[in-house]
Amino acid sequence: MLKVVLVNPAITAKGFNSFSTDNYIHHGLAYIDATLTKNGFDSAYVDLRRCVDWNDVRSQLLKEKGDVYGITSMTVDFGIAIKVAKLIRKILPKAKIVIGGIHVTLMPKDGLKNKCFDYVITGEGEISMVKLVKAISTKKKISRLIVGEPADLDEIPFINRDKFFHREGESKMPFVPDLPVPFATIMTSRGCPFNCAFCQPAEKMVFRGKVRIRNIKSVVDEIIDIKKKYGLKSYLIHDDLFLINKDRMMEFVRLMKKHKLNIPFICQGRADLITKLQPELKELKKVGLFALMIGFESGSQRILDYIDKRTTVDDNHKSAEICHKLGIHIWANYMMGIPTETYREMFQTMNMIRKINPEYHSPSFFTPYPQTRLFDYCIENDLFIFKEYSDYRRGIENNKIKGFNYDFMRGILFLYMPWSMRAGAIKYMFKKLL
Ligand code: SF4
């Protein structure tokens, strides 16, 4: 039976040895691992975030000695993914190398033009990776480009958290220090029906435009399982949108209550949905809802309409009021530097955020991701400045498109950010200068 080694190359943001601060389980790889194991294949995992340098990567890859290497990659890490593939080719020339993940789903040509990849899988990988490994093991000819088949989410086994270093890593929440540990991430659905111009149609290309949900009983069973094995104390539901279906939320509440589970958790919510879900949120709070991650994005209605967010500034304020009233913390996502945005509109955003008064801030500069409508706009209007895959970071460290003074924008953020964050920003600036 062939051995498969799955590789996570996600070190662009924080570098080698970054697992202590960036330790989320890669659910895409973890689900593929679970499916390969279910089908009788030996599957191992190499996470570059846990390696100290390229020599260490080399010895980890050699130690596992796979017949097939499966690398996943977002756009930002694609340069590293190529480097890993070239290294595998050099040290294990007989191994087959497969690239999958978001970047090649959106830009399959980038995978195909790099000869270091034997196969390119787009979309979801669970079913297609198993089929591919079976084909390789029987020497059956198979096309180099494979369009991933979406799996029935209830058919995929629970992920093997031990293999993904849950005990060493994901037992801490990197961004919310108030959450008790051990912490875990889980996924209960795939896809999002909304249409934000900075995100779509890319997101729909990954999940084929449909929202698919797991049976909520299986979700609660997984929570019980993690609690039993690891003593779970808090978790993040890592879906694009957990709040999409009222009946499902209430079934979740019913089952959590039935099992007497009240464990703090975080999930994503949209401002417009939150304004219509006060009774349901009250119930979710009873079974642990600790914080909502909300994409407020902008304090300018013109910008919200421009990015097709389908929310209003009023929704943003009302949703925050509801969260404060119910004692649910707010993780605020907001953005600056959207094409056509004025500095006046950025100040409107910051004034809105000041009024919202979130517990956690997640500011970003608009980043043009491939296959989104705003990416196309930037190309058509010659706004694009990125040269490397590593430029595609969501944060505020690097400049994104032409036409903005990013240092001035960092100044606006600094002016408005709470004191606790200013200390972090000053430390960061000093580190960069020294
Ligand atoms: S930004 Fe969020 S709400 Fe908008 S389309 Fe993407 S996942 Fe959906």
Side-chain angles (χ1 to χ4, degrees), residues 191-200 203-204 239-241 268-270 272 295 297 307-309 335:
C192 170
F194 290 94
N195 217 7
C196 308
F198 56 90
C199 175
Q200 299 290 14
E203 195 268 358
K204 290 191 199 312
D239 300 11
D240 282 334
L241 205 50
Q268 305 256 16
R270 281 174 52 99
D272 55 334
E297 318 304 1
I307 61 174
D308 211 1
K309 186 74 195 178
M335 225 191 284

Side-chain angles (χ1 to χ4, degrees), residues 9-134:
I11 53 165
T12 305
K14 297 198 170 170
F16 282 120
N17 223 354
S18 54
F19 196 66
S20 60
T21 55
D22 176 15
N23 52 34
Y24 284 152
I25 282 180
H26 193 294
H27 282 263
L29 286 183
Y31 280 132
I32 291 174
D33 167 71
T35 319
L36 284 166
T37 309
K38 184 181 166 187
N39 281 274
F41 290 101
D42 183 7
S43 159
Y45 179 56
V46 172
D47 191 328
L48 267 63
R49 298 172 301 177
R50 299 181 80 249
C51 297
V52 293
D53 55 22
W54 282 103
N55 282 335
D56 194 18
V57 177
R58 185 192 161 92
S59 42
Q60 296 292 328
L61 294 167
L62 276 173
K63 191 179 115 204
E64 294 302 345
K65 231 184 216 149
D67 302 292
V68 179
Y69 282 79
I71 309 169
T72 187
S73 182
M74 297 197 296
T75 301
V76 69
D77 293 308
F78 198 64
I80 305 286
I82 293 172
K83 202 167 169 182
V84 175
K86 285 183 175 164
L87 179 60
I88 297 168
R89 182 66 84 229
K90 197 171 152 198
I91 58 177
L92 295 155
K94 284 192 183 145
K96 296 287 179 204
I97 304 171
V98 188
I99 181 77
I102 292 176
H103 184 68
V104 291
T105 299
L106 305 178
M107 312 289 272
K109 279 188 188 155
D110 278 7
L112 293 170
K113 78 179 180 204
N114 279 290
K115 297 286 172 244
C116 52
F117 302 122
D118 295 300
Y119 298 98
V120 176
I121 298 183
T122 64
E124 295 166 61
E126 293 90 356
I127 294 177
S128 304
M129 188 67 176
V130 169
K131 283 190 180 172
L132 173 61
V133 178
K134 278 182 184 164

Side-chain angles (χ1 to χ4, degrees), residues 49-313:
R49 298 172 301 177
R50 299 181 80 249
C51 297
V52 293
D53 55 22
W54 282 103
N55 282 335
D56 194 18
V57 177
R58 185 192 161 92
S59 42
Q60 296 292 328
L61 294 167
L62 276 173
K63 191 179 115 204
E64 294 302 345
K65 231 184 216 149
D67 302 292
V68 179
Y69 282 79
I71 309 169
T72 187
S73 182
M74 297 197 296
T75 301
V76 69
D77 293 308
F78 198 64
I80 305 286
I82 293 172
K83 202 167 169 182
V84 175
K86 285 183 175 164
L87 179 60
I88 297 168
R89 182 66 84 229
K90 197 171 152 198
I91 58 177
L92 295 155
K94 284 192 183 145
K96 296 287 179 204
I97 304 171
V98 188
I99 181 77
I102 292 176
H103 184 68
V104 291
T105 299
L106 305 178
M107 312 289 272
K109 279 188 188 155
D110 278 7
L112 293 170
K113 78 179 180 204
N114 279 290
K115 297 286 172 244
C116 52
F117 302 122
D118 295 300
Y119 298 98
V120 176
I121 298 183
T122 64
E124 295 166 61
E126 293 90 356
I127 294 177
S128 304
M129 188 67 176
V130 169
K131 283 190 180 172
L132 173 61
V133 178
K134 278 182 184 164
I136 293 171
S137 65
T138 54
K139 298 199 167 49
K140 193 177 148 198
K141 239 186 153 9
I142 191 160
S143 151
R144 196 168 163 235
L145 175 65
I146 299 155
V147 178
E149 292 172 49
D152 177 339
L153 302 188
D154 290 319
E155 295 287 316
I156 306 174
F158 294 165
I159 60 177
N160 179 351
R161 291 173 188 266
D162 271 348
K163 196 180 282 181
F164 288 80
F165 311 106
H166 181 97
R167 286 179 207 275
E168 296 169 43
E170 218 200 21
S171 48
K172 290 179 234 148
M173 166 61 176
F175 306 110
V176 182
D178 307 331
L179 279 180
V181 294
F183 162 86
T185 51
I186 63 165
M187 292 202 67
T188 85
S189 68
R190 291 181 188 177
C192 170
F194 290 94
N195 217 7
C196 308
F198 56 90
C199 175
Q200 299 290 14
E203 195 268 358
K204 290 191 199 312
M205 286 170 76
V206 176
F207 298 119
R208 300 242 186 136
K210 279 190 192 148
V211 179
R212 282 170 297 136
I213 53 175
R214 276 174 65 187
N215 182 313
I216 210 72
K217 183 182 172 306
S218 142
V219 172
V220 174
D221 285 348
E222 187 176 6
I223 292 170
I224 293 169
D225 188 60
I226 307 170
K227 190 170 185 289
K228 232 185 250 166
K229 285 187 185 142
Y230 307 99
L232 180 75
K233 290 270 170 48
S234 65
Y235 60 104
L236 164 69
I237 297 180
H238 221 168
D239 300 11
D240 282 334
L241 205 50
F242 181 64
L243 303 187
I244 195 72
N245 182 317
K246 272 189 197 184
D247 294 343
R248 188 166 177 264
M249 275 188 279
M250 294 317 290
E251 180 61 3
F252 177 73
V253 170
R254 191 187 70 74
L255 286 174
M256 291 295 278
K257 282 184 177 168
K258 183 180 156 201
H259 292 284
K260 298 191 177 25
L261 291 170
N262 181 346
I263 304 172
F265 72 96
I266 302 183
C267 65
Q268 305 256 16
R270 281 174 52 99
D272 55 334
L273 297 180
I274 292 168
T275 62
K276 297 176 197 118
L277 288 173
Q278 200 170 160
E280 289 78 14
L281 291 172
K282 209 171 164 181
E283 289 304 304
L284 282 173
K285 167 88 182 144
K286 288 181 191 162
V287 295
L289 179 56
F290 174 82
L292 281 168
M293 297 165 129
I294 308 171
F296 295 114
E297 318 304 1
S298 176
S300 151
Q301 192 57 50
R302 187 193 74 80
I303 288 290
L304 289 177
D305 295 340
Y306 177 75
I307 61 174
D308 211 1
K309 186 74 195 178
R310 304 198 189 169
T311 56
T312 63
V313 177

